[in-house]
Amino acid sequence: MPSRRALLAGAAAGLGLSALPAAPVFAQAKLRYDLAPRPVLPGVWMVEGVTDYFDKVNGGAIVNCAVLQGQSGLILIDSGPSRRYGEALAATLRPLDLRGVSAVVNTHHHPDHFFGNQVFAERPILALGQTLEAARRDGDAFADNMYRLLGDWMRGTEPVPPNTALDGGEVTIDGRRFTALPLGGHTEADLALVDIETGLLITGDLAFLDRAPTTPHADLARWQEALTTLEGLGATAVLPGHGPFDRTGAALRQTRAYLSWLDETLHDAARTGLDMVEVMDLPLPEEFAAMGAQPQEFHRSVAHLFPGVERAVLPRAN
């Protein structure tokens, strides 16, 4: 495990990587993703990621992908971290509908959610307008970091941004009706979708379950507001961006509790004069220490967020 100081030095390079069983099986020697779509509701499947951070063992397969039956094929929500992953998705989904994927939706612009777009570039790939712009802006930098983290798993991958802007409100994608919620807080633009037929809420990375939330582009106050909106929907089930399928709303509650603790911890640390390394040494509460990718994700959040908290709490330091 890298030292905390190494994490500090590398924080600027860690651009937006959101770090996940019915989990995938990895065959690293052959660089093969063995993905398994699992039915969770009528006409809805989930491809579940592992709860670790990106590494050369898991090939970056940390994201949850939702798959819904459309009128002329399958609607894919988030496409994974690489061309190779997108190819594995296309192959494993074809038995569900021989017509294959008819449309793709990207919930936000982090690379584990849109780098599989390359395989589906001829299809409509929908996202919020700000997400489309952010993917264009940051895609090459994300690719540099993903190649560094994952090596040959990324071979041949080029970032392909969404090609169609999606507005909020009721939308129809390949004959299936959704309520699209343009929100933010995890990134500058986070799309949540409610499938009207089943009542399923697909949150993207606005919700994590049993996996530490990632914060490289986070606005914690705005994220909390988004969670309030999602909690008010009364969804029948939640498919979070990372972690297991959720029939109780636990993902929303756990994400809110973690973000509240994180924010309070960072502000208390700034007020008491701790430096960044001392903050990283703070013990994690048992409920959060047990999450996937801890304590590394807490350390990354300190690197991402603590300088801004210090400036807000200690304005004379500006």
Side-chain angles (χ1 to χ4, degrees):
M1 171 182 163
S3 70
R4 290 183 293 276
R5 286 180 175 81
L7 281 166
L8 290 178
L15 295 169
L17 299 178
S18 63
L20 293 236
V25 176
F26 309 104
Q28 187 179 9
K30 297 182 180 179
L31 297 178
R32 186 182 71 243
Y33 299 101
D34 293 327
L35 306 179
R38 175 167 59 94
V40 290
L41 289 169
V44 182
W45 298 264
M46 174 184 185
V47 179
E48 187 171 348
V50 298
T51 56
D52 304 317
Y53 193 65
F54 298 105
D55 61 39
K56 291 177 183 177
V57 175
N58 62 41
I62 66 174
V63 67
N64 290 340
C65 301
V67 182
L68 300 98
Q69 184 64 61
Q71 201 166 64
S72 62
L74 299 168
I75 303 161
L76 173 64
I77 314 297
D78 290 329
S79 61
S82 66
R83 187 188 77 174
R84 191 180 298 271
Y85 185 96
E87 290 169 344
L89 264 182
T92 197
L93 295 180
R94 193 163 297 278
L96 303 179
D97 188 321
L98 294 177
R99 297 170 295 180
V101 170
S102 56
V104 177
V105 180
N106 297 147
T107 59
H108 62 290
H109 81 296
H110 283 170
D112 51 324
H113 293 258
F114 90 91
F115 270 28
N117 286 1
Q118 187 175 1
V119 175
F120 309 104
E122 303 302 317
R123 318 297 200 275
I125 304 176
L126 299 92
L128 297 175
Q130 282 181 281
T131 297
L132 192 156
E133 293 168 6
R136 289 174 176 165
R137 180 192 68 217
D138 295 338
D140 287 342
F142 286 161
D144 289 345
N145 208 26
M146 293 289 278
Y147 271 87
R148 178 179 62 82
L149 289 167
L150 300 179
D152 281 348
W153 288 97
M154 296 295 295
R155 194 182 304 153
T157 301
E158 298 287 345
V160 174
N163 56 34
T164 305
L166 183 69
D167 295 323
E170 187 169 319
V171 298
T172 300
I173 304 171
D174 191 20
R176 192 166 186 128
R177 293 187 303 129
F178 298 88
T179 300
L181 297 150
L183 300 166
H186 175 66
T187 68
E188 61 201 79
D190 295 288
L191 174 66
L193 290 168
V194 178
D195 175 43
I196 292 175
E197 181 176 333
T198 63
L200 172 67
L201 170 61
I202 302 166
T203 67
D205 281 5
L206 288 170
F208 290 66
L209 183 57
D210 299 336
R211 202 277 182 205
T214 58
T215 60
H217 300 107
D219 177 331
L220 298 187
R222 190 178 178 206
W223 196 340
Q224 293 280 21
E225 292 171 1
L227 288 169
T228 297
T229 297
L230 298 180
E231 287 170 334
L233 297 174
T236 57
V238 177
L239 200 157
H242 301 267
F245 190 74
D246 172 22
R247 297 184 184 274
T248 68
L252 302 177
R253 295 189 296 273
Q254 188 186 80
T255 302
R256 181 185 292 283
Y258 183 81
L259 297 180
S260 296
W261 168 80
L262 177 63
D263 192 44
E264 291 167 7
T265 297
L266 297 182
H267 279 80
D268 287 346
R271 283 190 288 265
T272 55
L274 298 184
D275 66 30
M276 197 177 292
V277 173
E278 290 171 325
V279 180
M280 290 184 181
D281 277 332
L282 293 173
L284 299 179
E286 184 177 350
E287 62 182 307
F288 303 138
M291 289 175 161
Q294 290 286 44
Q296 297 93 330
E297 213 57 77
F298 171 63
H299 295 164
R300 292 186 185 96
S301 289
V302 175
H304 298 146
L305 301 175
F306 191 60
V309 172
E310 283 186 305
R311 289 192 295 271
V313 171
L314 305 170
R316 287 189 297 175
N318 291 342

